[in-house]
Amino acid sequence: MSPDKNSQTMKPLTAAAKLGIYLPATPEDFRSSPVTRAQLEELRTNPPQWLQDLRRTGPFPRDVTAHKLGVTNSALSRNGIPDALTTEQIDAYLADPPEWLVKERENLVEVRKEAERVKTKEAERRAATNRPRKNY
């Protein structure tokens, strides 16, 4: 018989990633002990005040920050943006976007357009090769 899956634990870093929060901003007791699946589910369904505050005001991890700014994680790194930003800092970037942010957003739009073009072209190529051949 297999053990109860809820007894499995994960590192605090993994739990923070699953919750979409920045680990260094969490309380010490969260950072210092493993988190069970049951505890993680409880945090998701009934978040304590500290988790609600982190989700509302941050600081947010790099991937969440990148998403909120509409750029990639690499764009943040290229432009020297710290690993975590608060809602206030993100709002300031959005209210008055610096030149690098405008360029990175435009670049991301172009990259996505190109990826879609390549995907469509590849689908068309596959469809053409899968057509039955006519025998004359």
Side-chain angles (χ1 to χ4, degrees):
M1 205 162 166
S2 65
D4 182 16
K5 286 188 177 182
N6 287 339
S7 66
Q8 292 179 339
T9 61
M10 61 192 84
K11 294 178 181 178
L13 180 61
T14 303
K18 289 180 181 284
L19 292 169
I21 58 174
Y22 186 57
L23 182 63
T26 61
E28 177 59 35
D29 60 325
F30 181 85
R31 287 186 304 235
S32 63
S33 59
V35 178
T36 65
R37 289 179 184 254
Q39 289 171 323
L40 180 65
E41 191 56 35
E42 177 64 22
L43 288 169
R44 284 180 173 153
T45 57
N46 188 21
Q49 189 61 47
W50 64 264
L51 182 53
Q52 292 175 34
D53 293 343
L54 275 179
R55 286 180 169 165
R56 185 175 42 260
T57 61
F60 300 101
R62 183 176 287 275
D63 60 331
V64 174
T65 298
H67 179 75
K68 286 178 179 277
L69 290 174
V71 296
T72 62
N73 290 345
S74 298
L76 296 177
S77 294
R78 277 192 297 273
N79 293 285
I81 303 304
D83 281 344
L85 294 178
T86 64
T87 298
E88 186 178 303
Q89 292 168 313
I90 292 169
D91 288 347
Y93 278 119
L94 293 174
D96 186 23
E99 186 178 331
W100 69 264
L101 182 57
V102 173
K103 286 181 181 178
E104 292 289 357
R105 288 172 127 185
E106 290 170 355
N107 185 46
L108 183 58
V109 167
E110 291 302 315
V111 167
R112 287 181 176 164
K113 281 182 187 176
E114 178 64 11
E116 185 60 33
R117 185 192 68 77
V118 168
K119 182 179 174 182
T120 302
K121 185 177 179 180
E122 181 62 22
E124 290 169 356
R125 186 194 63 78
R126 272 185 268 139
T129 59
N130 291 334
R131 289 187 189 139
R133 296 183 183 188
K134 295 181 180 180
N135 294 328
Y136 291 102

